[in-house]
Amino acid sequence: MKLYQDFFKLIDETPLIDVATELQQKVDYAFNQRNNGNLQRWREAYANLPDVQTKHIRLDTSHVSIGKQTDMTLQQQEQILQQLKILKPWRKGPYKLFDIDIDTEWRSDWKWDRLTPHIAPLKNKLVLDVGCGSGYHSWRMAGEGAKLVMGIDPSLLFVMQYQAVKKYAPNVPVFVFPFSLEEMPKNIPCFDSVFSMGVLYHRRSPIDHLLSLQNLLKPNGELVLETLIIEGGENQVLVPRDRYAKMRNVWFIPSVPELIKWVQRCGFKNVRCVDMNQTSIKEQRSTPWMNFESLADFLNPDNPDFTTENYPAPRRAIIIANK
Ligand SMILES: C[S@@+](CC[C@H](N)C(=O)[O-])C[C@H]1O[C@@H](n2cnc3c(N)ncnc32)[C@H](O)[C@@H]1O
């Protein structure tokens, strides 16, 4: 796949070159073996995107904005619109592609704005974005001047959404791979910054997740960890009995002091919480690009400070630490 060949050219002078074959095999495996029946449809949508080039790329604004309507005919714009709709639901964004506003379920730019004042500069850095979804934040990392951003996400739909965007920004060094953190090659401690946002609470073994992130960081490299939290002190953790906010796969939601302790016990230093925020129904909501239920439907209608299961409503913290 040409897209990943460009990645392999760029990693020539990084330790990633040692695992290039393994990465390529994992890409092939994911696209061949993990096909859930929709992949063909998504691939056709990708193949039907018109070939257009653009110089209009903005990665430092709320919308990841690529192309202008004036780069193409109205007919081509309509063709893009139809293909992008086949790639629904669009969860993380927003994007503007040739002036088509992809109003995603999440205002992911709000999270980005909360964390950027606190992170180490990304200019010329090698960055890993674990659980990157469609890659919205990965594009924003490139917008901050990162030398290379590697995103990983096991969802083939999100990877196809990324590929649709990447088609029109082929020279921006952002590459989203179709696999999980557990599938990343081991013993390549080469990343200057590793982001794990919105993933930890999905893991049955959060400590192993933290150790795997650490394993990929350079000495002194920076971990940016964003996850669900509860209010409370050390030793307080919510383990939902079944679903949390209608999600089946939520395992551990610690208090901030407990989460800091986990990160410290994994050997990270300089661990600090830089932001806490209760997710609002303006930040996560249904839109024409994501027609399913969203946060408002997951909250108790009589008291939106609680979920439908009567757990505390989603609150998130951003933790920063160094290896
Ligand atoms: C809640 S979304 C967060 C997306 C984005 N990082 C953000 O903060 O907006 C969680 C993402 O993590 C991915 N994910 C789940 N388990 C993962 C794993 N073990 N390794 C990497 N990604 C994973 C999911 O496919 C999903 O796209």
Side-chain angles (χ1 to χ4, degrees):
M1 215 175 280
K2 161 126 185 22
L3 190 159
Y4 297 106
Q5 282 164 15
D6 289 346
F7 173 85
F8 295 121
K9 282 182 209 148
L10 286 174
I11 58 172
D12 218 14
E13 286 171 12
T14 77
L16 286 170
I17 196 69
D18 297 335
V19 292
T21 310
E22 189 179 343
L23 291 173
Q24 181 63 64
Q25 284 167 349
K26 285 187 167 149
V27 171
D28 296 341
Y29 176 83
F31 281 111
N32 293 327
Q33 305 296 324
R34 217 185 277 148
N35 181 357
N36 65 4
N38 288 311
L39 184 60
Q40 185 59 25
R41 199 163 52 88
W42 299 332
R43 281 196 145 157
E44 277 167 21
Y46 178 79
N48 288 332
L49 288 168
D51 288 323
V52 181
Q53 289 180 355
T54 184
K55 293 196 180 91
H56 300 113
I57 297 179
R58 287 294 303 267
L59 304 176
D60 58 352
T61 52
S62 59
H63 284 75
V64 162
S65 176
I66 296 173
K68 292 227 169 285
Q69 198 285 307
T70 45
D71 293 323
M72 54 172 45
T73 64
L74 283 173
Q75 195 186 2
Q76 285 175 317
Q77 192 197 34
E78 179 59 26
Q79 197 182 340
I80 292 198
L81 177 64
Q82 293 315 323
Q83 309 320 310
L84 296 177
K85 282 185 180 170
I86 294 172
L87 297 177
K88 286 203 301 187
W90 285 78
R91 293 191 182 273
K92 311 295 172 176
Y95 296 91
K96 200 167 266 187
L97 272 194
F98 300 98
D99 291 330
I100 298 167
D101 189 350
I102 305 181
D103 185 14
T104 47
E105 177 188 16
W106 281 83
R107 288 296 308 260
S108 309
D109 52 317
W110 294 10
K111 187 186 290 188
W112 188 246
D113 290 344
R114 287 196 290 270
L115 69 87
T116 38
H118 307 287
I119 61 173
L122 297 180
K123 194 153 183 59
N124 292 324
K125 296 293 166 63
L126 187 55
V127 182
L128 178 67
D129 185 6
V130 174
C132 64
S134 64
Y136 172 83
H137 292 126
S138 309
W139 292 105
R140 298 297 304 268
M141 292 166 197
E144 294 288 316
K147 182 166 66 183
L148 180 63
V149 184
M150 178 176 188
I152 55 173
D153 200 291
S155 158
L156 289 185
L157 172 61
F158 301 155
V159 177
M160 291 308 297
Q161 291 172 344
Y162 150 76
Q163 290 193 4
V165 176
K166 174 77 172 170
K167 178 174 171 81
Y168 299 110
N171 297 324
V172 179
V174 172
F175 298 87
V176 173
F177 286 79
F179 41 74
S180 66
L181 178 62
E182 298 68 49
E183 292 170 288
M184 270 295 276
K186 307 286 177 280
N187 303 319
I188 39 159
C190 64
F191 291 96
D192 298 291
S193 294
V194 170
F195 291 73
S196 165
M197 302 196 288
V199 185
L200 189 80
Y201 54 87
H202 288 313
R203 301 306 306 154
R204 278 183 291 191
S205 181
I207 301 295
D208 286 333
H209 181 78
L210 293 171
L211 290 170
S212 301
L213 298 170
Q214 188 183 52
N215 183 262
L216 290 156
L217 272 170
K218 271 182 178 169
N220 290 319
E222 185 172 271
L223 169 70
V224 181
L225 176 71
E226 193 258 10
T227 193
L228 287 172
I229 46 131
I230 51 168
E231 289 181 294
E234 205 176 303
N235 299 326
Q236 291 197 288
V237 186
L238 168 63
V239 180
R241 191 160 285 282
D242 183 17
R243 296 186 184 210
Y244 173 84
K246 296 197 184 172
M247 289 183 280
R248 276 203 192 86
N249 55 351
V250 173
W251 293 93
F252 292 89
I253 310 182
S255 65
V256 168
E258 183 64 9
L259 178 59
I260 287 178
K261 187 175 75 187
W262 292 358
V263 178
Q264 285 170 335
R265 277 213 59 188
C266 288
F268 285 95
K269 54 196 184 193
N270 200 15
V271 186
R272 66 264 187 212
C273 176
V274 298
D275 185 76
M276 276 186 270
N277 175 271
Q278 181 161 331
T279 308
S280 89
I281 55 171
K282 291 187 176 153
E283 183 169 354
Q284 184 191 8
R285 74 274 191 258
S286 306
T287 73
W289 291 86
M290 201 300 290
N291 313 102
F292 302 117
E293 287 189 327
S294 191
L295 182 58
D297 308 293
F298 308 151
L299 298 178
N300 181 334
D302 298 324
N303 186 350
D305 283 338
F306 290 87
T307 66
T308 49
E309 306 86 3
N310 277 326
Y311 292 123
R315 281 174 75 76
R316 292 176 155 78
I318 300 170
I319 304 288
I320 299 191
N322 295 94
K323 179 165 171 177

Tab-separated table of all heavy atoms in Angstrom, residues 92 106 108 111 129-134 137 152-155 158 179-182 196-199 201-203 209 226 249 316, ligand 1:
chain	number	residue	atom	x	y	z
A	92	LYS	N	-14.556	11.326	15.610
A	92	LYS	CA	-13.572	12.306	16.108
A	92	LYS	C	-13.247	13.313	15.031
A	92	LYS	O	-12.955	12.963	13.889
A	92	LYS	CB	-12.290	11.603	16.553
A	92	LYS	CG	-12.505	10.422	17.467
A	92	LYS	CD	-13.092	10.795	18.813
A	92	LYS	CE	-13.455	9.506	19.563
A	92	LYS	NZ	-13.940	9.735	20.902
A	106	TRP	N	-17.714	14.149	18.209
A	106	TRP	CA	-16.913	14.817	19.235
A	106	TRP	C	-16.324	16.111	18.706
A	106	TRP	O	-15.842	16.163	17.566
A	106	TRP	CB	-15.749	13.923	19.667
A	106	TRP	CG	-16.140	12.844	20.621
A	106	TRP	CD1	-16.676	11.628	20.303
A	106	TRP	CD2	-16.025	12.883	22.045
A	106	TRP	NE1	-16.887	10.908	21.443
A	106	TRP	CE2	-16.507	11.645	22.534
A	106	TRP	CE3	-15.563	13.836	22.952
A	106	TRP	CZ2	-16.529	11.339	23.893
A	106	TRP	CZ3	-15.587	13.529	24.302
A	106	TRP	CH2	-16.064	12.294	24.759
A	108	SER	N	-13.342	17.178	19.145
A	108	SER	CA	-12.047	16.711	19.662
A	108	SER	C	-11.074	17.874	19.811
A	108	SER	O	-10.066	17.761	20.515
A	108	SER	CB	-11.461	15.669	18.708
A	108	SER	OG	-12.397	14.667	18.422
A	111	LYS	N	-10.643	18.968	23.484
A	111	LYS	CA	-9.652	18.214	24.260
A	111	LYS	C	-8.243	18.718	23.923
A	111	LYS	O	-7.402	18.917	24.793
A	111	LYS	CB	-9.762	16.719	23.937
A	111	LYS	CG	-8.898	15.827	24.789
A	111	LYS	CD	-8.918	14.363	24.339
A	111	LYS	CE	-10.222	13.673	24.606
A	111	LYS	NZ	-10.149	12.201	24.340
A	129	ASP	N	0.515	8.133	18.683
A	129	ASP	CA	-0.840	8.450	19.152
A	129	ASP	C	-1.621	7.134	19.225
A	129	ASP	O	-2.095	6.622	18.206
A	129	ASP	CB	-1.480	9.444	18.156
A	129	ASP	CG	-2.839	9.940	18.614
A	129	ASP	OD1	-3.260	9.621	19.736
A	129	ASP	OD2	-3.488	10.682	17.824
A	130	VAL	N	-1.725	6.603	20.441
A	130	VAL	CA	-2.336	5.277	20.642
A	130	VAL	C	-3.862	5.423	20.740
A	130	VAL	O	-4.361	6.224	21.517
A	130	VAL	CB	-1.776	4.641	21.939
A	130	VAL	CG1	-2.491	3.333	22.257
A	130	VAL	CG2	-0.273	4.424	21.813
A	131	GLY	N	-4.591	4.648	19.953
A	131	GLY	CA	-6.058	4.746	19.957
A	131	GLY	C	-6.486	6.060	19.334
A	131	GLY	O	-7.330	6.783	19.860
A	132	CYS	N	-5.904	6.340	18.185
A	132	CYS	CA	-6.046	7.679	17.583
A	132	CYS	C	-7.365	7.863	16.848
A	132	CYS	O	-7.648	8.945	16.345
A	132	CYS	CB	-4.880	7.942	16.630
A	132	CYS	SG	-4.887	6.809	15.230
A	133	GLY	N	-8.191	6.812	16.746
A	133	GLY	CA	-9.438	6.937	15.985
A	133	GLY	C	-9.123	7.298	14.539
A	133	GLY	O	-8.198	6.743	13.920
A	134	SER	N	-9.853	8.266	14.006
A	134	SER	CA	-9.632	8.669	12.610
A	134	SER	C	-8.348	9.475	12.437
A	134	SER	O	-8.013	9.849	11.317
A	134	SER	CB	-10.810	9.517	12.132
A	134	SER	OG	-10.870	10.725	12.876
A	137	HIS	N	-6.402	13.984	16.253
A	137	HIS	CA	-5.330	14.597	17.052
A	137	HIS	C	-3.966	14.396	16.397
A	137	HIS	O	-3.073	15.231	16.561
A	137	HIS	CB	-5.329	14.034	18.483
A	137	HIS	CG	-6.546	14.441	19.271
A	137	HIS	ND1	-7.372	13.535	19.889
A	137	HIS	CD2	-7.078	15.654	19.520
A	137	HIS	CE1	-8.361	14.181	20.500
A	137	HIS	NE2	-8.211	15.460	20.290
A	152	ILE	N	-2.087	4.650	15.926
A	152	ILE	CA	-2.514	3.247	15.819
A	152	ILE	C	-3.935	3.141	16.341
A	152	ILE	O	-4.291	3.766	17.351
A	152	ILE	CB	-1.575	2.259	16.553
A	152	ILE	CG1	-1.401	2.643	18.031
A	152	ILE	CG2	-0.230	2.180	15.878
A	152	ILE	CD1	-0.616	1.584	18.827
A	153	ASP	N	-4.749	2.367	15.637
A	153	ASP	CA	-6.123	2.123	16.085
A	153	ASP	C	-6.614	0.837	15.421
A	153	ASP	O	-6.485	0.684	14.209
A	153	ASP	CB	-7.052	3.286	15.705
A	153	ASP	CG	-8.304	3.285	16.569
A	153	ASP	OD1	-9.147	2.364	16.419
A	153	ASP	OD2	-8.427	4.176	17.434
A	154	PRO	N	-7.182	-0.081	16.222
A	154	PRO	CA	-7.612	-1.350	15.632
A	154	PRO	C	-8.849	-1.249	14.755
A	154	PRO	O	-9.168	-2.197	14.037
A	154	PRO	CB	-7.891	-2.234	16.863
A	154	PRO	CG	-8.056	-1.298	18.011
A	154	PRO	CD	-7.303	-0.054	17.688
A	155	SER	N	-9.566	-0.119	14.782
A	155	SER	CA	-10.811	-0.018	13.999
A	155	SER	C	-10.508	0.285	12.526
A	155	SER	O	-9.969	1.347	12.198
A	155	SER	CB	-11.696	1.092	14.581
A	155	SER	OG	-12.601	1.545	13.599
A	158	PHE	N	-12.106	3.552	11.191
A	158	PHE	CA	-11.397	4.793	11.513
A	158	PHE	C	-10.144	4.935	10.649
A	158	PHE	O	-9.776	6.036	10.237
A	158	PHE	CB	-11.049	4.860	13.004
A	158	PHE	CG	-12.268	4.788	13.913
A	158	PHE	CD1	-12.173	4.330	15.218
A	158	PHE	CD2	-13.517	5.183	13.460
A	158	PHE	CE1	-13.289	4.255	16.048
A	158	PHE	CE2	-14.654	5.123	14.277
A	158	PHE	CZ	-14.532	4.651	15.577
A	179	PHE	N	-3.758	-1.226	13.958
A	179	PHE	CA	-3.590	-2.208	15.024
A	179	PHE	C	-3.566	-1.589	16.405
A	179	PHE	O	-3.546	-0.369	16.564
A	179	PHE	CB	-2.393	-3.138	14.811
A	179	PHE	CG	-1.140	-2.496	14.279
A	179	PHE	CD1	-0.354	-1.694	15.094
A	179	PHE	CD2	-0.752	-2.716	12.975
A	179	PHE	CE1	0.811	-1.136	14.617
A	179	PHE	CE2	0.414	-2.145	12.488
A	179	PHE	CZ	1.190	-1.356	13.301
A	180	SER	N	-3.636	-2.476	17.403
A	180	SER	CA	-3.740	-2.045	18.797
A	180	SER	C	-2.342	-1.851	19.393
A	180	SER	O	-1.337	-2.277	18.808
A	180	SER	CB	-4.478	-3.108	19.608
A	180	SER	OG	-3.691	-4.280	19.643
A	181	LEU	N	-2.319	-1.278	20.580
A	181	LEU	CA	-1.040	-1.109	21.285
A	181	LEU	C	-0.384	-2.466	21.536
A	181	LEU	O	0.838	-2.610	21.416
A	181	LEU	CB	-1.292	-0.394	22.621
A	181	LEU	CG	-0.074	-0.178	23.508
A	181	LEU	CD1	0.955	0.712	22.833
A	181	LEU	CD2	-0.471	0.414	24.856
A	182	GLU	N	-1.207	-3.457	21.846
A	182	GLU	CA	-0.659	-4.784	22.159
A	182	GLU	C	0.032	-5.393	20.941
A	182	GLU	O	0.889	-6.260	21.069
A	182	GLU	CB	-1.767	-5.725	22.648
A	182	GLU	CG	-2.461	-5.274	23.934
A	182	GLU	CD	-3.312	-4.022	23.788
A	182	GLU	OE1	-4.132	-3.954	22.858
A	182	GLU	OE2	-3.142	-3.082	24.582
A	196	SER	N	-1.903	8.571	24.921
A	196	SER	CA	-2.952	7.547	25.044
A	196	SER	C	-4.168	8.282	25.566
A	196	SER	O	-4.237	8.644	26.753
A	196	SER	CB	-2.531	6.444	26.018
A	196	SER	OG	-3.677	5.679	26.373
A	197	MET	N	-5.109	8.529	24.693
A	197	MET	CA	-6.266	9.343	25.096
A	197	MET	C	-7.545	8.546	24.827
A	197	MET	O	-7.795	8.100	23.700
A	197	MET	CB	-6.250	10.661	24.326
A	197	MET	CG	-4.938	11.436	24.563
A	197	MET	SD	-4.986	13.156	24.097
A	197	MET	CE	-5.013	13.066	22.310
A	198	GLY	N	-8.319	8.371	25.892
A	198	GLY	CA	-9.589	7.665	25.741
A	198	GLY	C	-9.433	6.163	25.570
A	198	GLY	O	-10.338	5.521	25.020
A	199	VAL	N	-8.337	5.597	26.028
A	199	VAL	CA	-8.104	4.157	25.829
A	199	VAL	C	-8.025	3.402	27.160
A	199	VAL	O	-8.552	2.299	27.281
A	199	VAL	CB	-6.803	3.896	25.020
A	199	VAL	CG1	-6.637	2.404	24.724
A	199	VAL	CG2	-6.787	4.684	23.717
A	201	TYR	N	-9.451	3.296	30.062
A	201	TYR	CA	-10.641	2.718	30.710
A	201	TYR	C	-11.225	1.553	29.922
A	201	TYR	O	-12.053	0.800	30.436
A	201	TYR	CB	-11.715	3.783	30.974
A	201	TYR	CG	-12.133	4.602	29.775
A	201	TYR	CD1	-13.138	4.163	28.921
A	201	TYR	CD2	-11.532	5.819	29.503
A	201	TYR	CE1	-13.533	4.919	27.830
A	201	TYR	CE2	-11.909	6.588	28.411
A	201	TYR	CZ	-12.909	6.123	27.578
A	201	TYR	OH	-13.287	6.871	26.492
A	202	HIS	N	-10.797	1.396	28.671
A	202	HIS	CA	-11.239	0.239	27.874
A	202	HIS	C	-10.367	-0.989	28.124
A	202	HIS	O	-10.667	-2.065	27.619
A	202	HIS	CB	-11.149	0.554	26.377
A	202	HIS	CG	-12.189	1.530	25.897
A	202	HIS	ND1	-13.514	1.420	26.232
A	202	HIS	CD2	-12.100	2.622	25.096
A	202	HIS	CE1	-14.197	2.402	25.659
A	202	HIS	NE2	-13.362	3.145	24.980
A	203	ARG	N	-9.288	-0.805	28.875
A	203	ARG	CA	-8.343	-1.917	29.038
A	203	ARG	C	-8.643	-2.709	30.316
A	203	ARG	O	-8.842	-2.115	31.382
A	203	ARG	CB	-6.890	-1.402	29.097
A	203	ARG	CG	-6.462	-0.620	27.873
A	203	ARG	CD	-6.666	-1.379	26.572
A	203	ARG	NE	-6.033	-2.677	26.589
A	203	ARG	CZ	-6.450	-3.722	25.844
A	203	ARG	NH1	-7.494	-3.613	25.063
A	203	ARG	NH2	-5.808	-4.863	25.922
A	209	HIS	N	-1.185	-1.646	30.227
A	209	HIS	CA	-1.285	-0.606	29.194
A	209	HIS	C	-0.235	0.481	29.466
A	209	HIS	O	0.516	0.871	28.566
A	209	HIS	CB	-2.702	-0.005	29.200
A	209	HIS	CG	-2.921	1.056	28.170
A	209	HIS	ND1	-3.151	0.766	26.837
A	209	HIS	CD2	-2.944	2.413	28.261
A	209	HIS	CE1	-3.305	1.897	26.156
A	209	HIS	NE2	-3.179	2.913	26.999
A	226	GLU	N	-4.891	10.514	28.802
A	226	GLU	CA	-6.210	11.093	29.080
A	226	GLU	C	-7.181	9.955	29.284
A	226	GLU	O	-7.214	9.005	28.500
A	226	GLU	CB	-6.631	11.963	27.890
A	226	GLU	CG	-7.819	12.847	28.166
A	226	GLU	CD	-9.131	12.345	27.596
A	226	GLU	OE1	-9.195	11.175	27.112
A	226	GLU	OE2	-10.107	13.097	27.651
A	249	ASN	N	-17.574	-1.923	27.378
A	249	ASN	CA	-16.161	-2.260	27.573
A	249	ASN	C	-15.428	-1.225	28.433
A	249	ASN	O	-14.376	-0.731	28.068
A	249	ASN	CB	-15.473	-2.393	26.210
A	249	ASN	CG	-15.649	-1.131	25.370
A	249	ASN	OD1	-16.417	-0.241	25.741
A	249	ASN	ND2	-14.937	-1.050	24.254
A	316	ARG	N	-13.139	13.534	32.840
A	316	ARG	CA	-11.860	13.099	32.274
A	316	ARG	C	-10.720	13.913	32.871
A	316	ARG	O	-10.901	15.089	33.188
A	316	ARG	CB	-11.861	13.286	30.751
A	316	ARG	CG	-12.805	12.357	30.059
A	316	ARG	CD	-12.869	12.599	28.570
A	316	ARG	NE	-13.289	11.385	27.892
A	316	ARG	CZ	-14.550	10.950	27.843
A	316	ARG	NH1	-15.508	11.646	28.416
A	316	ARG	NH2	-14.842	9.823	27.230
B	1	LIG	C1	-12.607	6.846	22.995
B	1	LIG	S1	-11.699	6.620	21.517
B	1	LIG	C2	-10.465	7.891	21.707
B	1	LIG	C3	-9.985	8.491	20.403
B	1	LIG	C4	-8.989	9.626	20.546
B	1	LIG	N1	-7.726	9.151	21.087
B	1	LIG	C5	-9.526	10.727	21.396
B	1	LIG	O1	-9.032	10.918	22.500
B	1	LIG	O2	-10.442	11.406	20.981
B	1	LIG	C6	-10.787	5.149	21.862
B	1	LIG	C7	-10.078	4.579	20.659
B	1	LIG	O3	-9.157	3.615	21.107
B	1	LIG	C8	-9.158	2.532	20.220
B	1	LIG	N2	-8.649	1.378	20.999
B	1	LIG	C9	-9.323	0.540	21.798
B	1	LIG	N3	-8.494	-0.376	22.328
B	1	LIG	C10	-7.259	-0.092	21.857
B	1	LIG	C11	-5.977	-0.691	22.024
B	1	LIG	N4	-5.813	-1.752	22.789
B	1	LIG	N5	-4.914	-0.148	21.390
B	1	LIG	C12	-5.076	0.944	20.597
B	1	LIG	N6	-6.277	1.540	20.400
B	1	LIG	C13	-7.353	1.022	21.017
B	1	LIG	C14	-10.603	2.425	19.748
B	1	LIG	O4	-10.714	1.760	18.498
B	1	LIG	C15	-11.010	3.884	19.680
B	1	LIG	O5	-10.833	4.436	18.405
